Amino acid sequence: MTKKRIYELAKELKITSKELMELMEEMGINVNSHMATIENEEAETIKELISGEIKDKGKKEKQSTNGTHKKKEEEKVIEVEDTIVVKDLADKIGITPAELITKLINLGIMANQNQSIDFDTASIIGEELGFKIIRSKSLEIKDEFNLDYEDDPEDLKPRPPVVTVMGHVDHGKTSLLDAIRETNVTEQEAGGITQHIGASVVNIKGKKIVFLDTPGHEAFTSMRARGAQVTDIAVLVVAADDGVMPQTVEAINHAKAANVPIIVAINKIDKPDASIDRIRQELVEYGLVPEEWGGDTVNVPVSALKKEGIDDLLEMILLVAEMQELKANPNRKAMGTVIEAQLDKGKGPVATVLVQKGTLKVGDVVVCGSTSGRIRAMFDDKGKNIKKAGPSIPVMILGLSEVPLSGDILYAVEDEKTARIYAERKKELEREEQLKITQKVSLDDLFEKI
Ligand code: GDP
Ligand code: MG
């Protein structure tokens, strides 16, 4: 091998890619990605220069921390991630591991110097010794996987809105989605078998709206927890004969937390005991003041059962979407989010991906969470074989080597080798993460045992 990737060199130097890139920038060498390659010879030179620098810096930092130790009392802050190895914490505090282990025993915790203790335990010990333990802000390793980048505003083109239907159980989420799909089925499609891929595209007045099938807020939040935000608009279904219920409130809170506009579908208006006004009244209590009453919450009375008000609802979605000016660059390597995935006996791993940026094509090499592959075939929400899919379009893909997780991000990359490096690194990190969790000696566990 004559070339080396930045990330490999960083690993050899035991620093993060980001730190390496910053140091290289100081040396006047600009690289824009940790996947960039440099000549081996150049790498050696950089290595020599930088290892010298790191040592110097280390020395300086040590001197200065020693200094602070004695002189300045107020600067005793230690950054800790979710867990920290006993030995490392002792080091940071400036005591021996044995001393720290004794302190831990006093707290009822048995841990050797190579074991990890959790953040809370570290804080208790730290505070006792006059240190302030704070959680470190960024896990730099995660940044390594951010293959995403901002597009030039000039390259952005309008894209369809992606809608999630939320609401209390039995208020009619599934029925509403079915009604939307049925009223929208064109004649030639009606005969075909619609394969469920977890999302559907609806055409209205020559415009598209994408609905995610995963109803309720669970899928919504679990995806958000993984850092994926796929929803542009939340349709909150409230049954007109039942009103705002606990899961309605949860849904409102989740949509608000995600900063997603809410359109209320007041459902079941066909029922004799339905009261639209009562629902509007209740919504006000949760800050959703209807437009009719001078607020800005769009609400549409519908009956999923009688298929009434469906077109009004779709039009309102388009209107709200228009105000959002949703855009993406279709002309770049694709980036998307897995909305569901499973192992198919015949086809192997299949995943439904919502393309968010760029255009995904058959033949593209992709990395998807900790798996990778080459797209062998793609199907749209109607089960039709397609060759490419642009922003906001959900597609079922074949060709991944393993089943990804919902919420995993997919990136189209240059070549298979790159895809594999990313996938393997991600897998390695997931393993480390898992190990940390199992090794973690938590205060709670111990108190339980005592
Ligand atoms: P989900 O739990 O929110 O998905 O609710 P479903 O769509 O499964 O609906 C729950 C029940 O309400 C079912 O028995 C539906 O037939 C019924 N339902 C849904 N929409 C309407 C409606 O507009 N009018 C009436 N009368 N019943 C409805
Ligand atoms: Mg349902």
Side-chain angles (χ1 to χ4, degrees):
M1 204 172 71
T2 55
K3 287 191 175 183
K4 195 163 268 172
R5 295 208 189 261
I6 295 298
Y7 123 80
E8 291 169 325
L9 180 59
K11 208 171 170 181
E12 285 173 22
L13 283 162
K14 296 195 174 64
I15 58 175
T16 67
S17 305
K18 206 170 132 206
E19 283 167 348
L20 175 59
M21 276 151 65
E22 277 166 11
L23 285 167
M24 284 175 69
E25 205 181 310
E26 278 170 28
M27 294 162 73
I29 310 163
N30 280 313
V31 282
N32 49 15
S33 155
H34 64 283
M35 291 304 289
T37 52
I38 45 173
E39 297 291 337
N40 245 3
E41 237 172 77
E42 203 180 350
E44 283 311 311
T45 319
I46 291 170
K47 208 165 150 182
E48 259 171 50
L49 287 169
I50 285 183
S51 32
E53 193 140 318
I54 294 171
K55 262 185 222 139
D56 283 352
K57 221 173 158 185
K59 257 187 231 153
K60 263 187 235 152
E61 266 169 21
K62 211 159 201 169
Q63 279 167 1
S64 71
T65 33
N66 282 343
T68 5
H69 252 287
K70 283 169 200 141
K71 286 167 209 152
K72 277 194 260 160
E73 287 282 296
E74 67 272 22
E75 277 204 325
K76 292 162 136 192
V77 174
I78 296 173
E79 280 196 34
V80 172
E81 286 179 15
D82 285 347
T83 62
I84 185 164
V85 175
V86 168
K87 188 164 75 208
D88 295 345
L89 182 63
D91 216 32
K92 286 191 181 191
I93 293 178
I95 56 177
T96 65
E99 282 172 305
L100 183 55
I101 290 166
T102 316
K103 296 244 173 251
L104 285 166
I105 292 172
N106 288 339
L107 278 174
I109 295 171
M110 303 295 157
N112 68 39
Q113 60 167 348
N114 296 315
Q115 274 178 315
S116 294
I117 55 171
D118 64 16
F119 175 83
D120 293 336
T121 312
S123 328
I124 294 171
I125 300 270
E127 249 159 61
E128 215 185 281
L129 295 168
F131 285 83
K132 191 173 167 54
I133 311 285
I134 57 164
R135 219 178 261 269
S136 57
K137 285 175 259 1
S138 69
L139 286 169
E140 265 160 291
I141 295 169
K142 286 201 177 128
D143 287 347
E144 274 186 38
F145 293 93
N146 197 353
L147 286 162
D148 193 17
Y149 60 88
E150 287 286 316
D151 284 291
D152 190 330
E154 278 174 25
D155 298 330
L156 301 177
K157 302 268 154 48
R159 64 169 178 85
V162 179
V163 179
T164 302
V165 176
M166 305 165 101
H168 196 71
V169 65
D170 279 345
H171 279 197
K173 298 175 295 288
T174 305
S175 309
L176 185 64
L177 277 168
D178 285 346
I180 289 168
R181 267 192 294 257
E182 278 166 43
T183 49
N184 209 263
V185 175
T186 58
E187 276 173 36
Q188 87 241 46
E189 282 166 18
I193 309 151
T194 309
Q195 192 169 8
H196 257 242
I197 71 163
S200 30
V201 183
V202 161
N203 285 291
I204 179 148
K205 294 182 161 175
K207 288 185 173 153
K208 287 186 169 80
I209 303 173
V210 179
F211 285 90
L212 299 183
D213 284 351
T214 35
H217 51 259
E218 297 91 353
F220 193 78
T221 22
S222 69
M223 263 194 219
R224 283 215 329 124
R226 296 179 69 81
Q229 167 117 2
V230 291
T231 307
D232 300 309
I233 295 170
V235 167
L236 180 70
V237 181
V238 186
D241 63 337
D242 202 22
V244 172
M245 298 301 276
Q247 283 170 282
T248 318
V249 179
E250 268 180 53
I252 294 172
N253 292 336
H254 287 307
K256 280 186 179 165
N259 215 4
V260 167
I262 299 170
I263 296 177
V264 183
I266 303 179
N267 191 31
K268 306 198 187 185
I269 53 161
D270 59 287
K271 284 211 163 179
D273 50 347
S275 165
I276 298 172
D277 264 358
R278 199 193 94 204
I279 306 302
R280 286 181 179 155
Q281 191 72 61
E282 287 180 8
L283 290 169
V284 172
E285 285 169 39
Y286 296 93
L288 301 177
V289 184
E291 278 189 315
E292 290 81 354
W293 298 355
D296 58 4
T297 303
V298 178
N299 67 96
V300 189
V302 298
S303 166
L305 192 74
K306 305 260 193 255
K307 303 197 174 41
E308 279 170 26
I310 306 296
D311 284 345
D312 292 344
L313 177 63
L314 295 178
E315 263 178 55
M316 283 305 171
I317 292 172
L318 283 180
L319 207 74
V320 170
E322 222 166 85
M323 293 189 293
Q324 284 179 291
E325 293 184 25
L326 305 166
K327 285 179 179 171
N329 175 10
N331 303 309
R332 57 173 267 177
K333 279 196 190 308
M335 177 234 153
T337 299
V338 175
I339 50 182
E340 58 175 56
Q342 64 268 339
L343 189 65
D344 182 284
K345 270 187 196 146
K347 302 186 186 106
V350 294
T352 297
V353 173
L354 182 84
V355 179
Q356 291 172 291
K357 292 177 178 181
T359 298
L360 189 63
K361 306 182 191 83
V362 168
D364 275 354
V365 174
V366 298
V367 54
C368 186
S370 60
T371 183
S372 63
R374 187 184 285 273
I375 310 260
R376 209 165 67 220
M378 290 202 302
F379 302 91
D380 69 7
D381 60 307
K382 314 287 186 310
K384 206 176 107 202
N385 216 311
I386 53 168
K387 290 273 172 280
K388 55 183 188 178
S392 293
I393 302 302
V395 280
M396 193 173 103
I397 61 168
L398 306 186
L400 293 176
S401 55
E402 282 166 53
V403 181
L405 300 169
S406 70
D408 272 346
I409 311 287
L410 171 141
Y411 295 101
V413 294
E414 278 127 79
D415 49 44
E416 274 165 6
K417 193 183 164 209
T418 311
R420 269 199 309 273
I421 291 175
Y422 271 106
E424 272 162 29
R425 185 84 178 103
K426 176 96 186 189
K427 193 169 272 178
E428 201 178 293
L429 283 174
E430 280 174 3
R431 259 199 302 267
E432 276 171 23
E433 207 51 44
Q434 204 51 48
L435 214 65
K436 263 193 202 167
I437 294 167
T438 39
Q439 280 185 346
K440 193 154 122 182
V441 181
S442 90
L443 261 178
D444 288 352
D445 290 348
L446 272 138
F447 282 141
E448 254 167 46
K449 277 178 210 134
I450 292 166

PDB file of all heavy atoms in Angstrom, residues 4 9 12-13 20 24 27 29 38-53:
ATOM      1  N   LYS A   4      -2.266   6.259   2.367  1.00  0.00           N
ATOM      2  CA  LYS A   4      -2.863   6.062   3.680  1.00  0.00           C
ATOM      3  C   LYS A   4      -4.039   7.011   3.843  1.00  0.00           C
ATOM      4  O   LYS A   4      -3.992   8.139   3.385  1.00  0.00           O
ATOM      5  CB  LYS A   4      -1.792   6.373   4.730  1.00  0.00           C
ATOM      6  CG  LYS A   4      -2.151   5.872   6.092  1.00  0.00           C
ATOM      7  CD  LYS A   4      -0.939   5.812   6.989  1.00  0.00           C
ATOM      8  CE  LYS A   4      -0.251   4.458   6.955  1.00  0.00           C
ATOM      9  NZ  LYS A   4       0.996   4.402   7.643  1.00  0.00           N
ATOM     10  N   LEU A   9      -4.122   7.094   9.699  1.00  0.00           N
ATOM     11  CA  LEU A   9      -2.976   7.786  10.287  1.00  0.00           C
ATOM     12  C   LEU A   9      -3.326   8.271  11.695  1.00  0.00           C
ATOM     13  O   LEU A   9      -2.524   8.146  12.633  1.00  0.00           O
ATOM     14  CB  LEU A   9      -2.553   8.958   9.386  1.00  0.00           C
ATOM     15  CG  LEU A   9      -1.358   9.778   9.864  1.00  0.00           C
ATOM     16  CD1 LEU A   9      -0.113   8.939  10.021  1.00  0.00           C
ATOM     17  CD2 LEU A   9      -1.074  10.931   8.900  1.00  0.00           C
ATOM     18  N   GLU A  12      -3.067   5.547  14.125  1.00  0.00           N
ATOM     19  CA  GLU A  12      -1.681   5.263  14.483  1.00  0.00           C
ATOM     20  C   GLU A  12      -1.153   6.270  15.494  1.00  0.00           C
ATOM     21  O   GLU A  12      -0.372   5.948  16.375  1.00  0.00           O
ATOM     22  CB  GLU A  12      -0.799   5.311  13.221  1.00  0.00           C
ATOM     23  CG  GLU A  12      -0.969   4.085  12.348  1.00  0.00           C
ATOM     24  CD  GLU A  12      -0.225   4.222  11.025  1.00  0.00           C
ATOM     25  OE1 GLU A  12       0.720   5.021  10.941  1.00  0.00           O
ATOM     26  OE2 GLU A  12      -0.618   3.522  10.066  1.00  0.00           O
ATOM     27  N   LEU A  13      -1.591   7.510  15.337  1.00  0.00           N
ATOM     28  CA  LEU A  13      -1.114   8.567  16.231  1.00  0.00           C
ATOM     29  C   LEU A  13      -1.908   8.626  17.534  1.00  0.00           C
ATOM     30  O   LEU A  13      -1.629   9.434  18.411  1.00  0.00           O
ATOM     31  CB  LEU A  13      -1.211   9.917  15.508  1.00  0.00           C
ATOM     32  CG  LEU A  13      -0.127  10.208  14.458  1.00  0.00           C
ATOM     33  CD1 LEU A  13      -0.563  11.312  13.533  1.00  0.00           C
ATOM     34  CD2 LEU A  13       1.183  10.557  15.131  1.00  0.00           C
ATOM     35  N   LEU A  20      -6.309  15.390  14.027  1.00  0.00           N
ATOM     36  CA  LEU A  20      -5.256  15.273  13.033  1.00  0.00           C
ATOM     37  C   LEU A  20      -5.446  16.302  11.935  1.00  0.00           C
ATOM     38  O   LEU A  20      -4.496  16.976  11.516  1.00  0.00           O
ATOM     39  CB  LEU A  20      -5.234  13.856  12.445  1.00  0.00           C
ATOM     40  CG  LEU A  20      -4.252  13.632  11.289  1.00  0.00           C
ATOM     41  CD1 LEU A  20      -2.819  13.928  11.712  1.00  0.00           C
ATOM     42  CD2 LEU A  20      -4.347  12.199  10.764  1.00  0.00           C
ATOM     43  N   MET A  24      -2.922  19.222  10.896  1.00  0.00           N
ATOM     44  CA  MET A  24      -2.411  19.308   9.531  1.00  0.00           C
ATOM     45  C   MET A  24      -2.696  20.674   8.939  1.00  0.00           C
ATOM     46  O   MET A  24      -1.880  21.219   8.200  1.00  0.00           O
ATOM     47  CB  MET A  24      -3.025  18.197   8.667  1.00  0.00           C
ATOM     48  CG  MET A  24      -2.390  16.838   8.952  1.00  0.00           C
ATOM     49  SD  MET A  24      -3.196  15.498   8.064  1.00  0.00           S
ATOM     50  CE  MET A  24      -2.713  15.870   6.379  1.00  0.00           C
ATOM     51  N   MET A  27      -0.270  23.024   9.853  1.00  0.00           N
ATOM     52  CA  MET A  27       0.962  22.815   9.081  1.00  0.00           C
ATOM     53  C   MET A  27       0.786  23.265   7.637  1.00  0.00           C
ATOM     54  O   MET A  27       1.704  23.156   6.838  1.00  0.00           O
ATOM     55  CB  MET A  27       1.333  21.321   9.109  1.00  0.00           C
ATOM     56  CG  MET A  27       1.705  20.829  10.482  1.00  0.00           C
ATOM     57  SD  MET A  27       1.610  19.011  10.577  1.00  0.00           S
ATOM     58  CE  MET A  27       3.055  18.589   9.640  1.00  0.00           C
ATOM     59  N   ILE A  29      -1.469  21.955   5.534  1.00  0.00           N
ATOM     60  CA  ILE A  29      -1.968  20.907   4.648  1.00  0.00           C
ATOM     61  C   ILE A  29      -3.470  20.785   4.890  1.00  0.00           C
ATOM     62  O   ILE A  29      -3.903  20.436   5.993  1.00  0.00           O
ATOM     63  CB  ILE A  29      -1.294  19.541   4.934  1.00  0.00           C
ATOM     64  CG1 ILE A  29       0.217  19.699   4.974  1.00  0.00           C
ATOM     65  CG2 ILE A  29      -1.701  18.515   3.877  1.00  0.00           C
ATOM     66  CD1 ILE A  29       0.943  18.547   5.622  1.00  0.00           C
ATOM     67  N   ILE A  38      -3.377  10.186   1.617  1.00  0.00           N
ATOM     68  CA  ILE A  38      -2.115  10.886   1.400  1.00  0.00           C
ATOM     69  C   ILE A  38      -1.053   9.837   1.105  1.00  0.00           C
ATOM     70  O   ILE A  38      -1.199   8.673   1.472  1.00  0.00           O
ATOM     71  CB  ILE A  38      -1.689  11.733   2.635  1.00  0.00           C
ATOM     72  CG1 ILE A  38      -1.871  10.933   3.937  1.00  0.00           C
ATOM     73  CG2 ILE A  38      -2.441  13.036   2.697  1.00  0.00           C
ATOM     74  CD1 ILE A  38      -1.309  11.642   5.134  1.00  0.00           C
ATOM     75  N   GLU A  39       0.019  10.287   0.428  1.00  0.00           N
ATOM     76  CA  GLU A  39       1.108   9.369   0.103  1.00  0.00           C
ATOM     77  C   GLU A  39       1.731   8.864   1.407  1.00  0.00           C
ATOM     78  O   GLU A  39       1.823   9.605   2.383  1.00  0.00           O
ATOM     79  CB  GLU A  39       2.188  10.096  -0.713  1.00  0.00           C
ATOM     80  CG  GLU A  39       1.726  10.599  -2.058  1.00  0.00           C
ATOM     81  CD  GLU A  39       1.428   9.465  -3.048  1.00  0.00           C
ATOM     82  OE1 GLU A  39       1.971   8.365  -2.862  1.00  0.00           O
ATOM     83  OE2 GLU A  39       0.630   9.708  -3.961  1.00  0.00           O
ATOM     84  N   ASN A  40       2.176   7.618   1.389  1.00  0.00           N
ATOM     85  CA  ASN A  40       2.792   7.028   2.571  1.00  0.00           C
ATOM     86  C   ASN A  40       3.955   7.846   3.105  1.00  0.00           C
ATOM     87  O   ASN A  40       4.106   8.040   4.297  1.00  0.00           O
ATOM     88  CB  ASN A  40       3.286   5.622   2.229  1.00  0.00           C
ATOM     89  CG  ASN A  40       2.509   4.597   3.024  1.00  0.00           C
ATOM     90  OD1 ASN A  40       1.600   4.943   3.763  1.00  0.00           O
ATOM     91  ND2 ASN A  40       2.872   3.342   2.863  1.00  0.00           N
ATOM     92  N   GLU A  41       4.771   8.342   2.147  1.00  0.00           N
ATOM     93  CA  GLU A  41       5.947   9.106   2.542  1.00  0.00           C
ATOM     94  C   GLU A  41       5.548  10.349   3.309  1.00  0.00           C
ATOM     95  O   GLU A  41       6.081  10.672   4.361  1.00  0.00           O
ATOM     96  CB  GLU A  41       6.700   9.542   1.274  1.00  0.00           C
ATOM     97  CG  GLU A  41       8.137   9.074   1.238  1.00  0.00           C
ATOM     98  CD  GLU A  41       8.734   9.374  -0.116  1.00  0.00           C
ATOM     99  OE1 GLU A  41       9.070  10.548  -0.353  1.00  0.00           O
ATOM    100  OE2 GLU A  41       8.839   8.434  -0.936  1.00  0.00           O
ATOM    101  N   GLU A  42       4.539  11.009   2.726  1.00  0.00           N
ATOM    102  CA  GLU A  42       4.028  12.223   3.340  1.00  0.00           C
ATOM    103  C   GLU A  42       3.488  11.908   4.737  1.00  0.00           C
ATOM    104  O   GLU A  42       3.704  12.642   5.690  1.00  0.00           O
ATOM    105  CB  GLU A  42       2.908  12.797   2.456  1.00  0.00           C
ATOM    106  CG  GLU A  42       2.678  14.269   2.654  1.00  0.00           C
ATOM    107  CD  GLU A  42       1.561  14.785   1.742  1.00  0.00           C
ATOM    108  OE1 GLU A  42       1.110  14.044   0.842  1.00  0.00           O
ATOM    109  OE2 GLU A  42       1.117  15.912   1.953  1.00  0.00           O
ATOM    110  N   ALA A  43       2.802  10.766   4.814  1.00  0.00           N
ATOM    111  CA  ALA A  43       2.224  10.345   6.086  1.00  0.00           C
ATOM    112  C   ALA A  43       3.313  10.189   7.149  1.00  0.00           C
ATOM    113  O   ALA A  43       3.142  10.617   8.288  1.00  0.00           O
ATOM    114  CB  ALA A  43       1.472   9.038   5.901  1.00  0.00           C
ATOM    115  N   GLU A  44       4.449   9.595   6.732  1.00  0.00           N
ATOM    116  CA  GLU A  44       5.557   9.390   7.672  1.00  0.00           C
ATOM    117  C   GLU A  44       6.070  10.718   8.213  1.00  0.00           C
ATOM    118  O   GLU A  44       6.327  10.870   9.403  1.00  0.00           O
ATOM    119  CB  GLU A  44       6.696   8.599   7.009  1.00  0.00           C
ATOM    120  CG  GLU A  44       6.420   7.102   6.895  1.00  0.00           C
ATOM    121  CD  GLU A  44       5.945   6.474   8.192  1.00  0.00           C
ATOM    122  OE1 GLU A  44       6.567   6.684   9.251  1.00  0.00           O
ATOM    123  OE2 GLU A  44       4.905   5.770   8.166  1.00  0.00           O
ATOM    124  N   THR A  45       6.236  11.678   7.288  1.00  0.00           N
ATOM    125  CA  THR A  45       6.729  12.997   7.687  1.00  0.00           C
ATOM    126  C   THR A  45       5.763  13.636   8.678  1.00  0.00           C
ATOM    127  O   THR A  45       6.168  14.139   9.729  1.00  0.00           O
ATOM    128  CB  THR A  45       6.845  13.923   6.446  1.00  0.00           C
ATOM    129  OG1 THR A  45       7.383  13.143   5.376  1.00  0.00           O
ATOM    130  CG2 THR A  45       7.710  15.116   6.724  1.00  0.00           C
ATOM    131  N   ILE A  46       4.494  13.581   8.304  1.00  0.00           N
ATOM    132  CA  ILE A  46       3.476  14.187   9.171  1.00  0.00           C
ATOM    133  C   ILE A  46       3.489  13.527  10.540  1.00  0.00           C
ATOM    134  O   ILE A  46       3.434  14.183  11.569  1.00  0.00           O
ATOM    135  CB  ILE A  46       2.073  14.063   8.524  1.00  0.00           C
ATOM    136  CG1 ILE A  46       1.998  14.955   7.282  1.00  0.00           C
ATOM    137  CG2 ILE A  46       0.974  14.444   9.512  1.00  0.00           C
ATOM    138  CD1 ILE A  46       0.769  14.749   6.434  1.00  0.00           C
ATOM    139  N   LYS A  47       3.664  12.211  10.498  1.00  0.00           N
ATOM    140  CA  LYS A  47       3.657  11.447  11.736  1.00  0.00           C
ATOM    141  C   LYS A  47       4.777  11.913  12.662  1.00  0.00           C
ATOM    142  O   LYS A  47       4.552  12.163  13.844  1.00  0.00           O
ATOM    143  CB  LYS A  47       3.857   9.976  11.384  1.00  0.00           C
ATOM    144  CG  LYS A  47       3.242   9.024  12.364  1.00  0.00           C
ATOM    145  CD  LYS A  47       3.173   7.652  11.739  1.00  0.00           C
ATOM    146  CE  LYS A  47       3.270   6.568  12.759  1.00  0.00           C
ATOM    147  NZ  LYS A  47       3.247   5.251  12.128  1.00  0.00           N
ATOM    148  N   GLU A  48       5.955  12.060  12.068  1.00  0.00           N
ATOM    149  CA  GLU A  48       7.091  12.495  12.875  1.00  0.00           C
ATOM    150  C   GLU A  48       6.845  13.859  13.478  1.00  0.00           C
ATOM    151  O   GLU A  48       7.022  14.078  14.662  1.00  0.00           O
ATOM    152  CB  GLU A  48       8.347  12.560  11.996  1.00  0.00           C
ATOM    153  CG  GLU A  48       9.246  11.362  12.190  1.00  0.00           C
ATOM    154  CD  GLU A  48      10.354  11.343  11.157  1.00  0.00           C
ATOM    155  OE1 GLU A  48      11.014  12.383  10.995  1.00  0.00           O
ATOM    156  OE2 GLU A  48      10.518  10.291  10.507  1.00  0.00           O
ATOM    157  N   LEU A  49       6.452  14.785  12.595  1.00  0.00           N
ATOM    158  CA  LEU A  49       6.202  16.144  13.051  1.00  0.00           C
ATOM    159  C   LEU A  49       5.139  16.189  14.127  1.00  0.00           C
ATOM    160  O   LEU A  49       5.294  16.823  15.156  1.00  0.00           O
ATOM    161  CB  LEU A  49       5.751  17.021  11.874  1.00  0.00           C
ATOM    162  CG  LEU A  49       6.850  17.399  10.875  1.00  0.00           C
ATOM    163  CD1 LEU A  49       6.232  18.030   9.640  1.00  0.00           C
ATOM    164  CD2 LEU A  49       7.855  18.342  11.515  1.00  0.00           C
ATOM    165  N   ILE A  50       4.064  15.463  13.859  1.00  0.00           N
ATOM    166  CA  ILE A  50       2.937  15.540  14.783  1.00  0.00           C
ATOM    167  C   ILE A  50       3.198  14.828  16.096  1.00  0.00           C
ATOM    168  O   ILE A  50       2.860  15.331  17.156  1.00  0.00           O
ATOM    169  CB  ILE A  50       1.638  15.043  14.104  1.00  0.00           C
ATOM    170  CG1 ILE A  50       1.178  16.128  13.139  1.00  0.00           C
ATOM    171  CG2 ILE A  50       0.547  14.767  15.129  1.00  0.00           C
ATOM    172  CD1 ILE A  50      -0.117  15.839  12.436  1.00  0.00           C
ATOM    173  N   SER A  51       3.875  13.673  16.044  1.00  0.00           N
ATOM    174  CA  SER A  51       4.097  13.008  17.332  1.00  0.00           C
ATOM    175  C   SER A  51       4.948  13.899  18.228  1.00  0.00           C
ATOM    176  O   SER A  51       4.751  13.910  19.437  1.00  0.00           O
ATOM    177  CB  SER A  51       4.683  11.606  17.180  1.00  0.00           C
ATOM    178  OG  SER A  51       5.501  11.524  16.062  1.00  0.00           O
ATOM    179  N   GLY A  52       5.869  14.650  17.617  1.00  0.00           N
ATOM    180  CA  GLY A  52       6.654  15.604  18.400  1.00  0.00           C
ATOM    181  C   GLY A  52       5.742  16.626  19.037  1.00  0.00           C
ATOM    182  O   GLY A  52       5.802  16.891  20.240  1.00  0.00           O
ATOM    183  N   GLU A  53       4.867  17.134  18.204  1.00  0.00           N
ATOM    184  CA  GLU A  53       3.946  18.175  18.658  1.00  0.00           C
ATOM    185  C   GLU A  53       3.031  17.691  19.780  1.00  0.00           C
ATOM    186  O   GLU A  53       2.807  18.376  20.755  1.00  0.00           O
ATOM    187  CB  GLU A  53       3.084  18.615  17.477  1.00  0.00           C
ATOM    188  CG  GLU A  53       2.332  19.881  17.751  1.00  0.00           C
ATOM    189  CD  GLU A  53       2.335  20.748  16.503  1.00  0.00           C
ATOM    190  OE1 GLU A  53       3.396  20.837  15.855  1.00  0.00           O
ATOM    191  OE2 GLU A  53       1.300  21.287  16.176  1.00  0.00           O
TER     192      GLU A  53
END
